[in-house]
Amino acid sequence: MALRLVTIFGGSGFIGRQIVQDLASMGVRVRVAVRDPQKAAFLKPLGDLGQIAPMKVNVADEQAVARAVEGADAVVNLIGILYESGRRTFQALHVDAPERIARLSKAAGVQRFVHMSALGADPQADAAYARAKAEGEAAVRRHIPEASILRPSVVFGSHDSFFNMFGAMTRLVPALPYYVKDAFRLVRDETTGRPAIDLGGSGGPRFQPVYVGDVSEATIKCLTSDAFAGQTFELGGPRAYTMREIMELVVEQTERRTWVVPVPFWVARIQAKVMGLLPKPLITPDQVKLLERDNVVTGTLPGFEALGIEPTAAEAILPTYMNRFRPHHRNVILRAPQ
């Protein structure tokens, strides 16, 4: 399918800017539906003059959403939050907004619809985030059965809020934590047969980080091909890491002497209750529930292979931006010999 105009909800975010840039490079006009068009103005230079147009849209406003999808060949919904704040609830943004966008897109005759969900979306999950993501998928399917749904694991890239957050922490704290259920327990040493204390456990929950460029490519393939209509894809990188391995990778990339230490989940729950009260919490009780389940592909749904995409390894991309957290980065002054 030849794309002329694509509307992207939430297009000023981390994943959105990549998709906007990739669509613009194809000559597609992009309408970016956002709360604040001024803050999305940085997207305009990614395309030709007038090619990328930020548009003020309140996703709770039926008329505003209808205007945003009017005349579009395709719609991409990227709206999502990691924690609730005021009116920005999981119900409002992960369930009601997708339902409204899908319903009005269908009424407007939109031919392609891609909905960005999350790996672990499950109506029976303990975490409200995962339950709401599953409800949002179902809401989209009710109105547009032929929609493509993408469920990525943790997405990384130069503007991510995952590796960048932990990289910044290495500048401020002496240790990076990983949450674990099976550490600090009495075990029997396999060599001596004597009792010993297992301090590290199995390394905590597993993640399958996926490169933002691969997620964008998957989105565009779903927008341009009939072959992927009506399918749900699990998107994970080529390797699964434990949380301990993620932290060790951060330390390696930042070249700092930061320790990586195990923290029991009961401590994480206490931390989350306190930090959850902050305006921008580092972790919330609901996120702790998410961490208690692995964030890796199940293998029961198609993934990158079905899309004809070879996922990019984190080790190939992290050096391109994690070097900003290394000691003395860009602070070395070179003087010509006297």
Side-chain angles (χ1 to χ4, degrees), residues 90-100 131-133 135-136 139:
F90 294 144
Q91 177 66 36
L93 297 179
H94 290 178
V95 183
D96 297 342
E99 187 279 333
R100 185 174 299 109
R131 293 197 304 272
K133 281 292 187 180
E135 291 175 31

Side-chain angles (χ1 to χ4, degrees), residues 106-126:
K106 186 69 172 181
V110 170
Q111 299 179 54
R112 291 280 190 279
F113 194 99
V114 175
H115 175 66
M116 193 69 63
S117 184
L119 204 57
D122 182 352
Q124 305 302 320
D126 292 333

Side-chain angles (χ1 to χ4, degrees), residues 46-316:
L46 299 179
D48 294 333
L49 183 64
Q51 186 180 11
I52 298 169
M55 178 180 185
K56 183 178 178 61
V57 176
N58 178 352
V59 292
D61 185 331
E62 296 260 333
Q63 293 183 346
V65 173
R67 286 194 298 269
V69 301
E70 184 179 1
D73 301 307
V75 170
V76 179
N77 176 41
L78 303 175
I79 294 173
I81 55 174
L82 292 175
Y83 58 88
E84 297 179 303
S85 177
R87 295 181 180 178
R88 293 176 59 78
T89 64
F90 294 144
Q91 177 66 36
L93 297 179
H94 290 178
V95 183
D96 297 342
E99 187 279 333
R100 185 174 299 109
I101 295 169
R103 172 167 46 82
L104 295 175
S105 293
K106 186 69 172 181
V110 170
Q111 299 179 54
R112 291 280 190 279
F113 194 99
V114 175
H115 175 66
M116 193 69 63
S117 184
L119 204 57
D122 182 352
Q124 305 302 320
D126 292 333
Y129 172 92
R131 293 197 304 272
K133 281 292 187 180
E135 291 175 31
E137 291 182 6
V140 168
R141 284 268 188 252
R142 282 198 299 272
H143 297 289
I144 309 181
E146 65 275 18
S148 299
I149 294 176
L150 304 180
R151 293 179 177 177
S153 182
V154 175
V155 184
F156 69 89
S158 61
H159 296 94
D160 70 48
S161 57
F162 186 71
F163 283 109
N164 277 313
M165 178 182 70
F166 293 123
M169 287 174 63
T170 64
R171 290 173 167 174
L172 304 173
V173 297
L176 293 178
Y178 66 93
Y179 300 123
V180 65
K181 295 179 180 179
D182 56 358
F184 309 102
R185 59 177 179 163
L186 190 65
V187 297
R188 189 169 297 279
D189 189 285
E190 294 182 359
T191 303
T192 66
R194 295 177 180 176
I197 298 179
D198 179 7
L199 296 176
S202 59
R206 295 186 303 148
F207 301 86
Q208 206 164 340
V210 55
Y211 179 47
V212 65
D214 296 336
V215 175
S216 176
E217 185 178 354
T219 301
I220 292 173
K221 287 207 170 192
C222 289
L223 289 176
T224 55
S225 174
D226 291 331
F228 310 121
Q231 297 188 60
T232 298
F233 296 89
E234 291 185 330
L235 305 182
R239 177 186 166 189
Y241 305 78
T242 64
M243 191 174 183
R244 176 172 60 196
E245 290 172 330
I246 290 286
M247 298 306 173
E248 291 171 345
L249 187 57
V250 169
V251 172
E252 175 188 335
Q253 292 294 328
T254 57
E255 298 181 356
R256 292 184 177 269
R257 298 179 179 178
T258 308
W259 297 335
V260 175
V261 298
V263 175
F265 264 100
W266 65 266
V267 175
R269 295 186 191 99
I270 295 174
Q271 291 176 332
K273 285 184 179 180
V274 176
M275 293 184 182
L277 301 176
L278 299 174
K280 294 184 67 175
L282 288 176
I283 190 168
T284 67
D286 195 65
Q287 288 170 355
V288 172
K289 293 178 181 179
L290 280 175
L291 287 172
E292 293 189 86
R293 296 179 61 175
D294 289 342
N295 193 249
V296 297
V297 300
T298 64
T300 60
L301 292 171
F304 278 124
E305 184 178 354
L307 291 161
I309 300 171
E310 184 175 350
T312 307
E315 288 84 353

